Amino acid sequence: MSSPVVHAFFMGRALASAIGEQVEQSMTEALSNLGRFDAEQRENLRQFTEEVMARVQQQESQVSQEMPVDGVVGVSTAAGSQDLQATIDNLRAEIAQVRATLQQYRASLN
């Protein structure tokens, strides 16, 4: 019963079975990797979203602590107040200098 036709039939059947098992294993592994990748990306997105929301809450709390009831941003320290006053003084001096230069320019045109 070992005719070449029967032998070829069983060889083809065994080959088809082995190929089917290999394809099944490959597909299972590929789908598993895809599922793992999807889960990792969802976790990364969730962590990123949580980090962004934490930053938003932190910045909102900082702004709400700096804002008094009337809605004007206040300065929380005396050093900040002095820095603000120095900045205002510097701006006033620059404005005065620009005005003087502008008056000189206008006088030179007349």
Side-chain angles (χ1 to χ4, degrees), residues 3 5 9-10 15 20 22 26 31 36 40-41 44 49-50 55 58 60 63-64 71-72 75 84-85 90-91 101 104:
S3 72
V5 174
F9 170 76
F10 284 113
L15 179 64
Q22 288 292 325
S26 297
L31 291 174
R36 188 176 322 129
E40 288 173 357
Q41 292 306 310
N44 289 340
T49 303
E50 286 179 0
R55 287 183 182 186
Q58 179 185 12
E60 284 178 345
V63 168
S64 66
V72 178
V75 179
L84 181 60
Q85 188 60 47
N90 288 338
L91 289 173
T101 305
Q104 288 175 354

Side-chain angles (χ1 to χ4, degrees), residues 52-100:
V52 168
M53 292 306 294
R55 287 183 182 186
V56 167
Q57 289 176 350
Q58 179 185 12
Q59 291 175 357
E60 284 178 345
S61 67
Q62 286 176 349
V63 168
S64 66
Q65 288 174 359
E66 292 175 0
M67 290 186 70
V69 178
D70 63 356
V72 178
V73 175
V75 179
S76 59
T77 63
S81 175
Q82 291 173 354
D83 290 341
L84 181 60
Q85 188 60 47
T87 302
I88 291 171
D89 291 342
N90 288 338
L91 289 173
R92 285 181 179 161
E94 288 178 16
I95 290 171
Q97 183 181 7
V98 168
R99 281 184 180 166

